[in-house]
Amino acid sequence: MVLDTSSPIAREATLPKCPTGIQGFDEISGGGLPKGRPTLVCGGPGCGKTLFGMEFLVRGATEYDEPGIFVTFEEKAHELAENVLSLGWDLKELEARGKLIIEHILVERSEIEETGEYDLEGLFIRLGAAVDAIGAKRIVLDTVESLFAALPNELILRSELRRLFRWCKQKGLTAVITGERGDMTLTRHGLEEYVSDCVVDLNVRVKSDIATRRLRIVKYRGSEHGTNEYPFLIGAGGFSVMPITSINLDYATSSERVLTGVNRLDTMLGGQGYYKGSSVLISGTAGTGKSSLAAAFARATCAGGGRCLYFAFEEPVSQIIRNMGSIGMDLGKLMDAGLLKFHASRPTTYGMEMHLLTMYNMVKEFEPDAVIIDPISNLSAVGGEEEVKSILTRFVDFLKGQNITTLFTDLTFGRTVGEYTESAISSLMDTWILLRNIETNGERNRALFVLKSRGMEHSNQVREFILSSDGLELTDAYLGSEGVLMGSARVGQEARDFEESRLRGQELSGKKRSLEAKRAALESQMAALKQDFLSMQEEIEAVETAAKAQNAALFKDRDMMAKIRKAD
Amino acid sequence: MDKSKNRAADFEKALKARDQQKYVLRLYVAGMTPRSMQAISSIKSICEEHLLGRYEIEVIDIYQQPGLAKEQQVLAAPTLIKTLPLPLRKFIGTLSDRERILTSLDIVPKV
C-alpha cells in the first residue's frame, strides 16, 4: 500500500530512520530501518531475505541516493543480477553508475585449514575498499552465517563478527544482515546476540496448499513499531508489505448516489440507489440471482458513463457475457466501449495476498467508479475466515478511500440460510441485500430483502425478484388473507382476487341500480304528494274566499233589512 | 615380474621427482603485526628446513595490495596459499601447527 505518513507509528521520530523504500515496510517500522545500525533479517529458506536486502539497496540507490554494497557469501554476482532482473532491477547498470557494488565472498570449507590464531582483516579491507569506492551508506551481508561453515573456530569467528557489526556502525552504514532460521532460535548461529537494534522475521506458512509470506518486526530498539505479523508478497515490483493497520477511518464520505440497475431496488433504497463509494453486499444461496444483480449494477454504472471493474472468481468472462445476454444485458458492448473490464481468475491460483495485490494494481490502473467481486465466498477456499476478512477489510478500505463503490456477492449455503455471511464481513458493508429462494407449492421463487443500508431510508418489505429475458424486475410479493405469496401462487391468488372483486363489483352495481329505482319511485311519489298538497292549498284558499264573500253578503243583507224595517 | 619391477622403478622415480618439486607459496598478512611476524617466521623455518633451494615465497601485505587479496578471496589474515605444486591449498592462522602444515603441504619430513 502507499506509504502513509499520517499513521500513528510514522509520526514517531525518536530515532533517525533509513527509509527502505519497500512498499509498506516503512509504514510499519515508522520510517524504515535504524539509520547507521545493523538490522537482522532472519527467516527460513526461500522466504525472501536476500530480496529484502537487495530491494533495500536498489531503492536506496535509485530513490534515496544512498549507494550500497551487497556482500554475498552464497550466490555469485551475475547470478544475483539475473535473479533480480525479472523485478526490473538492473544491477549491472547500477554498478556502472557507481551506486552499487556486489562483493562475492567465496568461502569453502574444504580449501581452508586452520593453523593457529587469525582474524578476518581480509574481509574488513575488502569491505572497507568497497565502501570507500562509492561512498556507501548501506550494506547487506547475505548471509554471514556461511562463514560458520567455512571457519571451524567459532570463538574467533564470533569475536570477528562482533567487530564487523561494530565496524559497520562506526562507518555509519545502515546494515542488513540476513540469517537462516534455527531450530529454537531466530538464527542458526545466534546472530541475534550481536545485532540487537532491530530484528525482522520473515516466514512462509502453507495452509491448505497455499503459501503466505509474513513479516514481523521482532524488536526495534528505541522506536515504536507495528508488532503484528504482516502478510507480504514478492510481486513483479519487489516486496510489498500490506499492513492491516493502514485502516484509517478518515476518508471523505460521499452523499452522491448511484443507481443499482433495477428500478424498484432504487426505490427500496430511498428512491436513489446506493451511496457512491459505499460497500454493498449481496448474499444468497445458489441460483438466487446474485451475479445478475451485480451485472445489472455494472451495466447501470457504465450506462451513466462510469467505469466498472469486474473480478470474477467463478465463471469465465465469456460465460458471464452469455448468461447476462440471456436476461437482456449486453455486457460485451460495454466491454468493447472500454467501460467494463473483467478479470477472471481462480481463487486458488495464488494466495490471498497476491489476489489483493492484483486487485489493487488493477484498480490503480483502470481507475474504475465501481468494483465488483463475484463472489467473495470463493476466496475462503484459499484463506481462512480471518484472512479473508483481513484482506477484504483492507481492500474495502482502499476502495472507499478512492470513493469507488464496491459490490460483493457472497454465496451462502442452504443450511445456514439467512443473515450470515460466509466470510463474516457483513459489518464492513454499508448496504446488505439478501436474496433467498422461497419454496412453496412445488416451486422456488426468488425473494429480495434489504437487510441494512446505512444512512438512508430503506424499505423493510420483501420483494419478489424476477429474472426474465427482459431483464431484472422486482414486484411486490402478494400480501393478503392468504399470507405472503410468490410466483405462480401469487399470480393465481391475484387472479382469484380479481375475479372476486369483479363479482363483488357486479353485486354492488345491481344493488345500486335497485336502490336507485326505489329512490326514483320515491321521488315520483314525492312529486305526486306535492301536487296534492298544492291543489289542496288552492282548495283551501277558494273555500276561504267563498266564506269571506258569504260574510260580506250577510252584512249587506242585514243592513238592507234594517233599512227596510226602518230600524233605528 | 618385469612389469612389477618397472612399476616399482616408476614409483621410485615419482618419489624422487616429488622430492625435487618446486614450491610456490604466497603469504598474505595484514600489516606487520606480531601475528604476521609469527606466521612469516614459521613458514620460513619450515621451508628452510624441508624445501631448501626449491621454494619461492612471497609475502603480501593486504593493506598495501587489497586487489590481490580480493582476487584470491583472502578473508583471514594471515593466509598462506600454496599455488604450486597442485592442488591449491589455503592455510589460515599463525601457521603454528607444524605437523599439520607439513602433511597438508605434502612435504615428507626428513628423517
Side-chain angles (χ1 to χ4, degrees), chain B residues 77-91:
Chain B
T79 296
L80 177 71
I81 299 180
K82 179 193 76 166
T83 39
L84 274 175
L86 291 172
L88 189 122
R89 282 205 174 273
K90 269 188 191 177
F91 301 86

Side-chain angles (χ1 to χ4, degrees), chain A residues 250-552:
Chain A
D250 58 1
Y251 30 75
T253 310
S254 169
S255 52
E256 205 183 313
R257 303 289 276 264
V258 285
L259 294 180
T260 64
V262 181
N263 287 342
R264 284 294 294 270
L265 188 55
D266 294 337
T267 319
M268 286 177 82
L269 298 168
Q272 299 172 76
Y274 311 126
Y275 275 119
K276 182 156 175 54
S278 69
S279 49
V280 181
L281 174 69
I282 297 173
S283 72
T285 49
T288 42
K290 296 180 296 297
S291 299
S292 310
L293 207 54
F297 176 58
R299 192 176 62 158
T301 305
C302 297
R307 292 150 79 85
C308 181
L309 189 55
Y310 195 119
F311 293 101
F313 287 126
E314 214 168 36
E315 297 174 282
V317 178
S318 56
Q319 193 179 320
I320 295 176
I321 290 176
R322 182 200 69 191
N323 294 355
M324 293 308 145
S326 76
I327 51 170
M329 288 192 273
D330 188 357
L331 297 182
K333 207 171 64 190
L334 300 173
M335 264 177 87
D336 295 341
L339 293 171
L340 179 66
K341 189 171 178 176
F342 278 98
H343 177 80
S345 65
R346 280 276 164 211
T348 44
T349 320
Y350 24 71
M352 287 303 295
E353 294 302 322
M354 198 69 192
H355 277 296
L356 181 62
L357 193 78
T358 312
M359 294 195 285
Y360 175 83
N361 288 339
M362 288 201 67
V363 168
K364 278 274 175 209
E365 189 190 315
F366 189 63
E367 295 179 343
D369 297 279
V371 167
I372 293 170
I373 301 184
D374 180 29
I376 50 168
S377 40
N378 265 22
L379 291 175
S380 32
V382 185
E385 195 169 286
E386 284 295 305
E387 204 183 350
V388 174
K389 185 170 181 175
S390 113
I391 294 278
L392 288 175
T393 307
R394 284 178 281 156
F395 194 51
V396 166
D397 199 49
F398 162 66
L399 292 174
K400 280 189 170 179
Q402 313 274 315
N403 203 21
I404 296 170
T405 317
T406 329
L407 188 142
F408 301 99
T409 69
D410 185 38
L411 175 71
T412 53
F413 296 100
R415 61 195 146 76
T416 52
V417 177
E419 299 165 21
Y420 167 81
T421 52
E422 201 55 35
S423 327
I425 46 130
S426 60
S427 63
L428 294 174
M429 299 298 155
D430 297 319
T431 299
W432 184 2
I433 292 167
L434 176 66
L435 294 171
R436 217 158 141 182
N437 268 322
I438 293 183
E439 195 181 316
T440 40
N441 306 331
E443 64 179 33
R444 295 185 125 211
N445 293 296
R446 297 182 178 94
L448 181 145
F449 308 78
V450 177
L451 286 186
K452 76 166 178 189
S453 195
R454 285 175 183 156
M456 63 172 87
E457 213 180 314
H458 57 274
S459 169
N460 63 350
Q461 300 290 301
V462 53
R463 295 272 188 271
E464 187 176 348
F465 182 43
I466 297 168
L467 301 175
S468 68
S469 55
D470 300 330
L472 282 72
E473 206 186 321
L474 286 177
T475 56
D476 294 317
Y478 174 82
L479 280 168
S481 53
E482 307 287 319
V484 177
L485 294 178
M486 294 192 161
S488 61
R490 169 178 56 85
V491 175
Q493 187 63 38
E494 275 169 1
R496 271 197 298 284
D497 279 2
F498 179 71
E499 183 61 22
E500 238 170 62
S501 71
R502 197 177 59 86
L503 286 174
R504 219 177 298 132
Q506 273 179 344
E507 231 170 68
L508 279 175
S509 56
K511 211 169 189 179
K512 187 175 163 194
R513 268 199 303 280
S514 73
L515 282 172
E516 266 167 2
K518 257 186 197 168
R519 191 179 66 177
L522 278 174
E523 262 174 2
S524 58
Q525 269 179 339
M526 273 161 70
L529 281 171
K530 201 166 184 179
Q531 205 59 44
D532 281 356
F533 176 81
L534 283 174
S535 55
M536 213 165 275
Q537 200 162 2
E538 272 167 26
E539 229 169 285
I540 290 169
E541 272 168 20
V543 170
E544 271 178 1
T545 323
K548 271 185 192 158
Q550 239 171 350
N551 263 354

Side-chain angles (χ1 to χ4, degrees), chain B residues 44-104:
Chain B
K44 278 219 167 126
S45 95
I46 291 174
C47 292
E48 285 297 313
E49 194 177 324
H50 300 285
L51 302 170
L52 195 62
R54 55 183 181 102
Y55 75 94
E56 198 177 280
I57 184 157
E58 192 183 351
V59 178
I60 296 159
D61 185 350
I62 52 177
Y63 288 125
Q64 311 287 330
Q65 289 168 293
L68 283 176
K70 185 175 174 176
E71 212 172 89
Q72 289 296 320
Q73 293 283 357
V74 171
L75 300 185
T79 296
L80 177 71
I81 299 180
K82 179 193 76 166
T83 39
L84 274 175
L86 291 172
L88 189 122
R89 282 205 174 273
K90 269 188 191 177
F91 301 86
I92 56 174
T94 47
L95 306 173
S96 49
D97 191 343
R98 209 179 170 90
E99 291 304 307
R100 194 162 163 197
I101 295 166
L102 285 177
T103 327
S104 300

Side-chain angles (χ1 to χ4, degrees), chain A residues 48-102:
Chain A
K49 300 184 293 292
T50 304
L51 202 65
F52 184 96
M54 190 51 91
E55 181 157 2
F56 171 66
L57 291 187
V58 170
R59 303 270 175 220
T62 56
E63 288 167 30
Y64 302 101
D65 195 29
E66 292 196 352
I69 313 282
F70 194 96
V71 185
T72 169
F73 292 89
E74 287 168 343
E75 287 177 286
K76 291 204 173 96
H78 68 93
E79 285 172 347
L80 263 178
E82 279 164 22
N83 293 351
V84 298
L85 199 61
S86 63
L87 299 166
W89 303 337
D90 190 350
L91 301 187
K92 287 211 171 70
E93 187 254 352
L94 284 174
E95 277 191 289
R97 277 170 46 205
K99 295 282 184 191
L100 182 79
I101 290 181
I102 298 174

